[in-house]
Amino acid sequence: DGCPQAGVVFAYHVGFDGLDNFGAILRRLAHRPHPIRFHAQRIPRTEVPGGEEFTAWLDARWLEIDTAVHTLLPTEGSA
């Protein structure tokens, strides 16, 4: 609401778990057993609902992201 012309960007990643700083990420990139995946999506402001509809819309996007991350996570025992 504070910036009515701004869109929304959602971003998520899989594969950086346990890496809490940029140096650690760089050191471990070559030794990761699973690929690192990063996804970003820009939603134009015209597609972002306002008012009371916003919370339900945002919750639905978070559920979509949770599902996508779960799908990309390696299964136990896979390398």
Side-chain angles (χ1 to χ4, degrees), residues 27 35 39 46 50 58 76:
R27 285 188 297 277
H39 177 83
T46 57
L58 185 60
E76 191 172 323

Side-chain angles (χ1 to χ4, degrees), residues 43-58:
I43 309 296
R45 183 57 178 212
T46 57
E47 296 178 22
V48 178
E52 294 179 16
E53 295 176 7
F54 178 76
T55 300
W57 175 84
L58 185 60

Side-chain angles (χ1 to χ4, degrees), residues 12-44:
Y12 63 87
H13 62 82
V14 174
F16 286 121
D17 42 299
L19 303 177
D20 59 359
N21 64 60
F22 192 68
I25 292 169
L26 291 177
R27 285 188 297 277
R28 299 234 346 243
L29 278 176
H31 305 290
R32 300 291 301 167
H34 303 285
I36 292 172
R37 303 191 188 260
F38 179 84
H39 177 83
Q41 178 183 15
R42 181 185 174 276
I43 309 296

